Amino acid sequence: MASSRLKRVEESATMKAANTANKMKEDGIDVISFTLGEPDFDTPKHICDAAADAMYRGETHYAPGAGISELKKTIANKLCTENKLDAKTSEIIVTPGAKQAIFEVMMSVLDDNDEAILFDPAWVSYDPAIKFAGANTRWVPTDTENGFKPIDLEEYINEKTKLIVVNSPGNPTGAVYDKQTLKNIADIAIDNDILVLSDEIYEKIIYDQEHISIGSFEGMQDRTITVNGFSKAYAMTGWRLGYVHARSDVIKPMLKIQSHSVSSATSFVQYGGIAALEGPQEPVAEMVERFRMRRDVLVDGLNEIGIKCQKPGGAFYAFADVSEYGDGNSIAEKLLLDAHVAVTPGSAFGESGKNFIRISYATSIERIQEGLERIKTALV
């Protein structure tokens, strides 16, 4: 009974792996899950208090489709000061999560048989969103030995290319693109009149490097669609709150989709978003520092076992090369069945990930250390 549109789309591999691990847990098996990209920290109290206060004072009704004006002003100020974007409130939509924003972008700017560029490997939901829009994905290889930077992007551009997707810091690799890499992408976009979707959801979870918004480059203001949200930096995954900034002729069709689908982001949740951006940022810094410690324990431990893994520059994922022991699918299955360690096979993120597994280190150091011992026992 599924539509032909749905037949083009695969099940989310990250959700599938997480669901399998949860089923095993329900059966009483102690599974260490390194699957979902969700901070294991509680949302900071001042954010919860702001949302609760809003709820109790009656902010429980329909919100404007594009978001409440107070939050849009706060987002615009954040984009101007932190990201060097010339952001106006009329160019911003508040969405129920960054994923919804990405879906709306694809449905708004892509037509049947258009092509969108993804850098392989890429987050699992970009490709399905492109397919939902009736377009096709053009996969561009990356240098797996040098920060997963795109290789020969120019060779994959043609008359059908409508959009380039940039995700830095990135999922699944944790790669952070430097200024030169982003400038190369920007120059190609400008020369070929192509839009860029910049997914910056992990911008604040970054180590020893600088986050740069590609929309801040000269000539990129009007061709960049910047997506961000609150789930990762502020541990607000369940709140479902994101936003998108783009020129008005991109925003208007997106708002049309939002008004006919989810209507708006939850009203009182948006007041939590204001508190997140305007309130103390120490909780974010503390969380990032703990992620850094976990990253170092995990990556060092993997390399000691003999699993090659670069140290990611951002986000909270390690993309580990398991080719010494098998392909990513077989190793993920072996670790789950033999070691009760759940990871995501790298093939879920693109062809280049077939010999990799993604390990989310959004869990305690104690569980990471135990997971490493289990992995070592299963593989060595």
Side-chain angles (χ1 to χ4, degrees), residues 196-226:
V196 171
L197 167 58
S198 182
D199 180 358
E200 304 183 13
I201 192 69
Y202 296 100
E203 67 164 345
K204 292 185 180 294
I205 305 176
I206 194 166
Y207 322 100
D208 306 319
Q209 290 176 264
E210 176 190 8
H211 172 72
I212 303 171
S213 294
I214 194 169
S216 66
F217 285 79
E218 184 177 356
M220 290 300 294
Q221 176 73 31
D222 287 337
R223 69 177 64 256
T224 302
I225 305 165
T226 302

Side-chain angles (χ1 to χ4, degrees), residues 61-83:
H61 303 280
Y62 287 131
I68 63 173
S69 60
E70 299 95 323
L71 178 56
K72 291 174 64 180
K73 289 177 183 176
T74 302
I75 291 170
N77 181 64
K78 183 264 183 204
L79 291 173
C80 289
T81 56
E82 293 185 9
N83 303 94

Side-chain angles (χ1 to χ4, degrees), residues 301-307 324-325 331 334-335 372-380:
L302 289 171
N303 282 295
E304 287 174 7
I305 291 172
I307 297 174
E324 291 291 323
Y325 303 95
I331 295 303
K334 180 178 178 61
L335 292 179
L372 286 168
E373 286 300 319
R374 293 188 189 186
I375 291 171
K376 182 177 179 179
T377 299
L379 297 183
V380 179

Side-chain angles (χ1 to χ4, degrees), residues 236-280:
M236 294 172 65
T237 52
W239 295 60
R240 309 313 305 133
L241 189 62
Y243 58 90
V244 58
H245 168 260
R247 69 192 196 206
S248 59
D249 63 331
V250 173
I251 285 292
K252 287 179 180 177
M254 289 183 63
L255 185 56
K256 186 184 294 186
I257 293 173
Q258 179 143 305
S259 65
H260 285 300
S261 55
V262 296
S263 296
S264 68
T266 301
S267 53
F268 51 86
V269 162
Q270 296 187 53
Y271 291 90
I274 296 171
L277 293 179
E278 292 187 344

Side-chain angles (χ1 to χ4, degrees), residues 154-177:
E154 300 94 325
E155 296 182 10
Y156 295 84
I157 304 296
N158 59 50
E159 68 279 358
K160 294 182 179 180
T161 308
K162 187 72 172 290
L163 183 71
I164 299 172
V165 178
V166 175
N167 179 212
S168 174
N171 177 5
T173 64
V176 177
Y177 291 157

